[in-house]
Amino acid sequence: MRRSTILWFLVAACLGVALFLVKYEVQSREEQLAELHRDILENQEALHVLEAEWSYLNRPDRLESLVRRHLDLVPMDKRRVGQLEQLPMRLPMPVPGPDTDPMVTIEAIALAPRPSIAALSTPPLPVGRPLWLPIRVIKRVTE
Amino acid sequence: MNRRAKTVHLEGVAKQALETGRNRLLLAGCLVALAFVAVGARVIELSAFRDHNEPTTSNTTADAALQTGRADIVDRNGLLLATSLRTPSLYADPTEVLDAEEAAATLAQVLTGLAPAEIVANLRAKRRFVWLKRSLTPREQHAVNRLGIPGLYFMDEWKRVYPQGALTAHAVGFTDADDRGIAGIEKSFDDALRGGQEPLRLALDLRVQHIVRDEVARQIEAFEAIGGTGVVLDVRTGETVAMVSLPDFDPNVAGRMEPDARFNRATLGVYEMGSTFKIFNTAMALDAGTTTLRDGYDATDPIRVARFTINDFHAKRRWLSVPEIFMYSSNIGSVKMAMDVGTERQRAFMGKIGFLTLTALELPELGQPMVPSPWRPINTMTIAFGHGLAISPMHLASGVATVVNGGIRRPVTLLAADVPAAGARVLKASTSKDMRRLMRLVVENGTGRKASAEGYLVGGKTGTAEKSGGRGGYKRKALLSSFVAAFPMHAPRYVVLVMVDEPKGQKHSQGYATGGWVAAPAVKRIVERAAPLLGVAPVDPKSPEIRRELMIEMPGIGGKRLASF
């Protein structure tokens, strides 16, 4: 009788403590959740502002003036658009012989005049590219 | 016995007390049991019946989502045209302000655009709330905070911001200080924007819009014009890919604009379009069957009706075939063509193609066409070459889209439409094909040669109208020069319209300010720049399929000849 009373008392005490702990755990987690929500909102708003700024910086007239100032890009004209059927048949792979110096052809490509707005009236000739480039040579050219 | 009886007596009393006690106990026990049953029933109800089972997730708000004051507006590629940002606004509680004059003096130093006298008046008001300035920049807010004036407070407000500035000003519109839409899409979709969070996707393409604005502005400057407009329509869906009206304004500071800048020339302005109307006149005559591409009319002598004389600008003084009438923009021939069709049928045709009612565009700024009433034969004659019926440029572009797309009229729209709206057939497909050939001919050999963008098979029609003056007459010097085109002509995808208001003849244009000189070059450059972006591949105009598609037979005076391909 007495033993079972103590047992029940202990069970009740344990349950009380457990309930207490769970309650505080839930409370702290809810606070954490609310904080996360606040953070998310803050980030979303920051994102929103950045999106607005991004599209402000991407105004077409601004991009156009930047391109004019810093890049060599020119408006695409119809000579640069073609169809697959217009391509000539593919040339056979050149086999590098011992007497041809790959550097000569590659330097010629690198030094070839680049298209500019002024030169647009005469279409740039297609630049022949060798189909085979040794990696070592590419590195030397880019350096 | 006596003792026993006494005991019995006593027992009797005790027993009675015991009985009472037991009864009361039983009653209390029953009540308590009932209460427990009630509690138990409630527990069962709550756990088993109310929610069926234990909720597996918490019932707190699912996910934090930013609630802006208004939904964004984006272009067809998702680029922002209008968005809302949270900005602080400064207000004051005048009863808490200690020294209004000193506060006003210091505030005026920090906040630009506020007069001290105005602030003093505000701070002395007998109210508990006055706005001092709406939408401060973060720097201004910091400066005001540093002043530490008591009685000043900030309130966060959503402010509408237009990152693209003036570029889409007329289409998107703008809002007032309280975030209510008062122009453009902002007004017509005010409720949807205010309630929704999903961005509203327009049909405009920002890149094309920029190109059109750039080119129209260039022509306005080159010809000292007072304004202009440019429209690009998708022929197949009726979507407005670009819509520009110049002069325009910056919607971010909409309060500071001039009234003329707010006027949307593309949709609100109605104009007598001039020769571009010959597209519809010719299409009407061909569709009605009163003439064919092999027929023609005598354009030797001017037509005299009442006090009017109808003459040709590029007079040939001879018999002209229908293609020639269109190519040389002959007024005399067009009038005769319209007279053959008749007044009633002309009116019905103009109604069918949508020139007598408002366009379907989702804007509050729509111009009502000016329709002659009654519609007399003289009106039929003037409408043949584009006078006497005033429509907006948007009407014109939509009409041309109808003519070239196979004859099906679709409502024009500013919203991105993934599925084209159902259209109504207005013209026969064969008429549309003939019109495409004729429009190509104008650019190939006629008045619109300056619009020929190589490889894109532009076809169109020039128009140079004299603006009507005050007393029913026309002003010789105030012109409205336009060019309306479609490309590529063998399978049209887009209609491009450029109209310049009151251009003046320049040395570089040999004194001309006609549609062919002013608007056609702009159309050419718009097509050249925009076509690669719009996914229109250039074609070889000499390829046999295209020659067959666009060839036209010209019964000229010197026998038959093939004029165009």
Side-chain angles (χ1 to χ4, degrees):
Chain A
M1 173 64 192
R2 174 163 285 212
R3 192 173 290 169
S4 73
T5 314
I6 292 171
L7 187 75
W8 282 115
F9 182 77
L10 274 178
V11 167
C14 284
L15 280 177
V17 170
L19 186 68
F20 181 82
L21 289 177
V22 167
K23 187 187 163 185
Y24 274 86
E25 178 69 22
V26 167
Q27 227 169 43
S28 76
R29 292 218 175 178
E30 265 176 3
E31 269 163 28
Q32 211 182 335
L33 183 70
E35 198 177 310
L36 284 176
H37 276 175
R38 264 199 309 279
D39 280 0
I40 291 173
L41 274 183
E42 224 164 79
N43 282 324
Q44 276 182 347
E45 193 164 338
L47 209 63
H48 193 72
V49 173
L50 289 175
E51 266 170 16
E53 199 169 329
W54 176 244
S55 51
Y56 177 72
L57 293 175
N58 273 309
R59 287 175 341 261
D61 52 338
R62 179 174 175 271
L63 289 186
E64 194 180 313
S65 70
L66 286 180
V67 166
R68 273 184 211 287
R69 210 179 316 153
H70 299 296
L71 296 177
D72 276 345
L73 297 180
V74 291
M76 191 168 76
D77 67 283
K78 71 153 208 160
R79 285 172 298 234
R80 288 162 210 272
V81 185
Q83 279 159 357
L84 217 52
E85 298 92 67
Q86 292 173 341
L87 286 179
M89 288 233 293
R90 196 172 165 180
L91 295 171
M93 285 279 249
V95 182
D99 52 335
T100 54
D101 182 7
M103 276 309 291
V104 175
T105 41
I106 287 167
E107 266 169 7
I109 295 162
L111 294 176
R114 293 155 86 190
S116 67
I117 300 178
L120 228 170
S121 49
T122 51
L125 289 168
V127 182
R129 277 178 195 279
L131 297 171
W132 175 82
L133 283 181
I135 288 165
R136 179 175 47 85
V137 178
I138 296 175
K139 273 192 186 147
R140 271 167 58 196
V141 171
T142 47
E143 272 160 23
Chain B
M1 191 62 207
N2 192 18
R3 198 185 138 206
R4 196 178 178 186
K6 204 173 180 178
T7 313
V8 168
H9 179 70
L10 273 173
E11 269 187 339
V13 173
K15 195 177 180 187
Q16 209 176 355
L18 271 178
E19 283 288 313
T20 328
R22 185 179 289 168
N23 284 344
R24 285 177 183 169
L25 209 61
L26 200 68
L27 192 69
C30 281
L31 284 177
V32 170
L34 251 165
F36 270 101
V37 167
V39 170
R42 177 80 177 136
V43 166
I44 289 169
E45 191 218 332
L46 278 183
S47 57
F49 298 114
R50 179 64 59 88
D51 284 331
H52 296 289
N53 47 31
E54 192 96 338
T56 47
T57 52
S58 70
N59 280 332
T60 47
T61 45
D63 257 332
L66 188 64
Q67 298 279 316
T68 55
R70 279 173 90 83
D72 293 345
I73 301 176
V74 297
D75 86 336
R76 65 183 308 123
N77 302 315
L79 297 169
L80 272 184
L81 302 180
T83 186
S84 289
L85 293 183
R86 194 202 296 274
T87 54
S89 288
L90 181 67
Y91 71 95
D93 181 349
T95 57
E96 289 179 25
V97 178
L98 303 173
D99 186 345
E101 264 171 41
E102 197 199 326
T106 45
L107 262 184
Q109 285 173 3
V110 205
L111 299 179
T112 50
L114 280 183
E118 193 189 339
I119 307 179
V120 171
N122 270 333
L123 291 182
R124 290 209 172 123
K126 294 267 177 289
R127 275 177 291 159
R128 298 292 309 268
F129 182 96
V130 281
W131 282 121
L132 290 181
K133 192 175 180 192
R134 309 287 285 266
S135 318
L136 273 66
T137 62
R139 198 163 286 146
E140 283 176 324
Q141 186 187 21
H142 180 70
V144 172
N145 263 334
R146 262 182 43 173
L147 293 177
I149 304 170
L152 298 189
Y153 301 97
F154 296 105
M155 187 193 282
D156 276 350
E157 282 191 300
W158 289 104
K159 184 184 191 299
R160 207 63 168 155
V161 174
Y162 304 94
Q164 308 300 337
L167 187 52
T168 55
H170 285 104
V172 172
F174 53 93
T175 61
D176 63 3
D178 293 318
D179 236 13
R180 280 186 301 255
I182 50 174
I185 286 285
E186 292 270 31
K187 184 176 184 185
S188 40
F189 287 92
D190 195 29
D191 290 339
L193 286 171
R194 235 186 297 178
Q197 293 297 318
E198 280 294 299
L200 184 68
R201 192 164 150 249
L202 300 190
L204 296 179
D205 187 320
L206 214 49
R207 304 165 297 176
V208 183
Q209 178 87 0
H210 167 68
I211 291 167
V212 173
R213 180 169 184 263
D214 199 36
E215 295 298 347
V216 174
R218 186 163 152 186
Q219 292 309 89
I220 290 177
E221 200 185 330
F223 287 88
E224 298 170 64
I226 59 167
T229 175
V231 172
V232 177
L233 277 190
D234 188 321
V235 164
R236 297 176 186 172
T237 59
E239 287 173 294
T240 313
V241 179
M243 185 186 84
V244 171
S245 167
L246 287 170
D248 53 13
F249 57 91
D250 185 354
N252 291 307
V253 283
R256 269 184 244 152
M257 72 180 152
E258 291 165 29
D260 183 43
R262 182 170 174 173
F263 186 75
N264 187 346
R265 282 165 209 267
T267 60
L268 186 56
V270 291
Y271 309 95
E272 293 175 300
M273 287 296 171
S275 302
T276 44
F277 243 70
K278 284 169 192 157
I279 296 173
F280 310 108
N281 191 56
T282 313
M284 173 184 74
L286 291 175
D287 205 54
T290 53
T291 189
T292 66
L293 289 187
R294 288 159 195 279
D295 297 330
Y297 292 92
D298 182 22
T300 316
D301 301 316
I303 302 175
R304 289 199 173 75
V305 191
R307 62 195 170 90
F308 299 102
T309 307
I310 296 167
N311 212 336
D312 281 357
F313 186 72
H314 314 270
K316 297 282 174 217
R317 306 252 171 267
R318 59 173 169 86
W319 183 89
L320 293 174
S321 66
V322 169
E324 280 176 319
I325 289 172
F326 194 72
M327 186 168 89
Y328 299 129
S329 199
S330 160
N331 292 339
I332 304 168
S334 298
V335 168
K336 290 185 172 169
M337 223 187 280
M339 292 311 281
D340 273 0
V341 176
T343 303
E344 211 36 63
R345 276 202 279 179
Q346 185 192 39
R347 184 188 192 147
F349 177 79
M350 292 299 166
K352 262 200 302 185
I353 207 158
F355 286 175
L356 307 183
T357 47
L358 296 178
T359 56
L361 212 65
E362 300 89 349
L363 283 181
E365 299 92 3
L366 293 182
Q368 178 75 43
M370 293 209 283
V371 182
S373 173
W375 198 302
R376 295 202 184 87
I378 177 72
N379 299 115
T380 302
M381 294 169 114
T382 58
I383 288 169
F385 55 92
H387 284 265
L389 175 61
I391 57 169
S392 69
M394 202 45 123
H395 276 106
L396 182 70
S398 128
V400 172
T402 304
V403 169
V404 299
N405 76 356
I408 294 164
R409 180 185 165 210
R410 289 202 176 80
V412 283
T413 176
L414 258 174
L415 299 185
D418 297 321
V419 211
R425 181 161 287 281
V426 175
L427 293 170
K428 291 180 207 135
S430 60
T431 312
S432 172
K433 199 168 181 182
D434 285 345
M435 287 312 299
R436 297 208 291 262
R437 291 175 170 162
L438 287 177
M439 285 169 72
R440 177 70 189 143
L441 185 67
V442 170
V443 174
E444 199 88 6
N445 293 326
T447 50
R449 279 189 294 263
K450 287 189 193 313
S452 177
E454 210 187 322
Y456 292 110
L457 296 174
V458 180
K461 181 80 191 76
T462 56
T464 312
E466 285 160 10
K467 283 171 89 173
S468 51
R471 293 185 208 118
Y474 287 93
K475 293 188 276 188
R476 284 241 140 232
K477 286 286 155 204
L479 296 178
L480 208 57
S481 302
S482 55
F483 192 81
V484 61
F487 72 96
M489 229 43 213
H490 64 291
R493 290 284 310 278
Y494 293 95
V495 165
V496 182
L497 163 68
V498 169
M499 192 180 92
V500 179
D501 198 351
E502 293 193 20
K504 322 271 183 303
Q506 304 290 320
K507 272 210 183 101
H508 57 77
S509 72
Q510 295 160 26
Y512 284 111
T514 56
W517 276 95
V518 178
V523 168
K524 172 187 170 167
R525 290 195 297 262
I526 289 171
V527 171
E528 278 177 347
R529 290 173 66 183
L533 298 176
L534 291 168
V536 178
V539 290
D540 180 10
K542 294 189 176 63
S543 73
E545 304 91 62
I546 286 159
R547 282 171 83 123
R548 204 177 317 124
E549 191 73 18
L550 294 174
M551 188 172 64
I552 204 160
E553 214 170 292
M554 295 255 294
I557 24 173
K560 294 189 175 184
R561 60 199 162 108
L562 294 175
S564 173
F565 33 77

